[in-house]
Amino acid sequence: MSNIAVQLFGRLHVRYDNIEVTGLDVRKVQELLCYLLIHRRRPHAREGLASILWSNTSTAQSRANLRRTLWQLQHLPAEPIAAELLAIEADWIQIKPHLPLWLDVAEIETVFEQTKGQPGEQLSHAHASAAAQAVDLYRGDLFDGCYQDWCLVERERLQQMYLALLDKLMAYCEYHGEYERGLAYGAAFQQYDNVNEQCYRRMMRLYWRAGDRSGALRQYERCATMLAEEFETTPGPLMQALVERLKTNQPIDALARATDHAHAGEEISLSELALHLRQLQVSVDRHGQAVSHALRMVEQALRRGGSS
């Protein structure tokens, strides 16, 4: 069995025995493959899969679209990628279990689970190294350019995992004196979330510890500007207390420890709650589409009965 590597973050890339797979230019072929890989741990009924990927068409048309797209995936010009990846039955499709498959999404999910509940300061060297390798895989949003509902939900879920790992790495770097590296993680965080006060506080402390007081104060000004523009509010008391200490050259270690200890549990639980709610949203969306599909079938049966 051949080795398959798939990159879903940013542009889709598939490698088969270290050779780039060509012929994956059709958007719906990409979407079908992406959806199956994201939901790789379970089989999918053809009708349900068709209704999710072609939600605005009739049942018959959506099934025809699925058959055509599946045929296109099975007949790529060079590599038998579908035969290696997919278990296809009359009514079910799924990614084959126990494949020698490398998937960038799976790497981030695995490291996130391994470090869940651990403050960044307490990460082992091995876990910090794994987290650093995982965040390097995030080359852009999931399946960039796709705006289907299912993809938007999954994109948000995985982005939150990415940001949680960046936050842990910032804390790890601050604790271990790797300030420049920590600032790089913070800059990556702010590309996706520029109103997160916890990130701004970490950035301010990292700049301060690196000897750049002006950089620390600029982070506060940027935070205040973004909060005012986005929410018409001001930085909270923790941020205010930190900036006052920086302006007056007071020690920040005690404040940093108190802040981290007082809020670590709250932030972890809120992060996990957010992920749980997004996973629940995925489930609700999936069941909602199944109900809509069943309702369409009943309505079509009623119309046929009324016309006979």
Side-chain angles (χ1 to χ4, degrees):
M1 187 174 290
S2 303
N3 291 313
I4 301 171
V6 184
Q7 175 186 320
L8 296 181
F9 290 122
R11 291 184 60 192
L12 174 68
H13 290 283
V14 181
R15 297 184 68 82
Y16 181 84
D17 278 349
N18 294 319
I19 299 173
E20 188 79 16
V21 173
T22 59
L24 281 169
D25 302 323
V26 179
R27 194 64 177 177
K28 276 300 181 181
V29 172
Q30 296 180 1
E31 187 179 341
L32 172 61
L33 181 59
C34 182
Y35 183 90
L36 291 172
L37 286 167
I38 289 290
H39 303 284
R40 60 197 172 278
R41 296 184 180 89
R42 63 179 181 86
H44 302 271
R46 284 187 180 234
E47 287 198 11
L49 189 57
S51 68
I52 290 172
L53 298 182
W54 290 273
S55 57
N56 295 324
T57 63
S58 67
T59 300
Q61 185 61 54
S62 66
R63 292 205 62 166
N65 290 340
L66 177 60
R67 286 194 299 271
R68 181 174 62 253
T69 304
L70 191 57
W71 185 91
Q72 291 171 320
L73 182 57
Q74 290 174 299
H75 292 81
L76 294 176
E79 297 84 4
I81 189 75
E84 294 278 5
L85 268 178
L86 303 181
I88 302 174
E89 301 177 14
D91 297 316
W92 298 88
I93 305 171
Q94 76 173 113
I95 298 294
K96 290 179 180 177
H98 313 302
L99 270 179
L101 170 66
W102 181 91
L103 184 63
D104 55 358
V105 165
E107 296 296 311
I108 281 188
E109 289 175 332
T110 297
V111 176
F112 177 82
E113 289 299 322
Q114 290 173 345
T115 59
K116 183 185 291 186
Q118 298 182 45
E121 299 87 346
Q122 298 177 17
L123 289 181
S124 66
H125 176 72
H127 277 158
S129 296
Q133 293 174 25
V135 299
D136 283 345
L137 298 174
Y138 199 93
R139 301 179 179 92
D141 285 331
L142 174 72
F143 193 25
D144 200 13
C146 178
Y147 300 101
Q148 296 290 335
D149 287 345
W150 71 265
C151 188
L152 295 176
V153 172
E154 289 299 320
R155 183 177 295 156
E156 178 68 14
R157 178 180 71 88
L158 290 163
Q159 187 182 107
Q160 291 303 313
M161 287 187 177
Y162 169 65
L163 294 178
L165 291 176
L166 286 176
D167 181 73
K168 290 178 189 291
L169 286 168
M170 290 177 68
Y172 178 87
C173 289
E174 181 182 1
Y175 184 79
H176 289 276
E178 300 180 39
Y179 305 133
E180 295 298 327
R181 185 175 165 218
L183 288 168
Y185 289 131
F189 189 111
Q190 290 176 341
Q191 287 182 3
Y192 292 92
D193 184 351
N194 60 7
V195 292
N196 187 293
E197 285 194 53
Q198 169 74 359
C199 179
Y200 280 110
R201 290 197 301 272
R202 290 200 191 283
M203 291 285 277
M204 289 169 68
R205 298 203 304 260
L206 285 163
Y207 272 114
W208 175 264
R209 297 186 194 285
D212 187 351
R213 178 173 175 269
S214 296
L217 294 176
R218 281 196 299 271
Q219 283 293 308
Y220 173 79
E221 295 299 331
R222 182 183 178 193
C223 177
T225 299
M226 297 308 302
L227 290 176
E229 290 179 354
E230 293 290 330
F231 305 116
E232 297 183 354
T233 188
T234 58
L238 292 173
M239 181 71 87
Q240 299 288 358
L242 178 57
V243 76
E244 285 304 315
R245 285 182 176 249
L246 297 183
K247 286 180 176 179
T248 56
N249 289 313
Q250 297 182 52
I252 65 170
D253 289 340
L255 177 62
R257 286 194 298 271
T259 299
D260 291 341
H261 292 163
H263 291 267
E266 177 186 351
E267 285 162 2
I268 290 168
S269 64
L270 287 175
S271 174
E272 293 174 2
L273 175 60
L275 282 166
H276 173 72
L277 290 174
R278 289 184 181 93
Q279 291 163 354
L280 181 61
Q281 185 178 4
V282 172
S283 178
V284 168
D285 181 62
R286 186 181 302 128
H287 288 297
Q289 292 185 355
V291 169
S292 297
H293 171 70
L295 180 59
R296 286 198 303 270
M297 292 182 66
V298 170
E299 290 173 342
Q300 289 171 8
L302 288 172
R303 285 195 294 270
R304 287 194 297 270
S307 61
S308 60

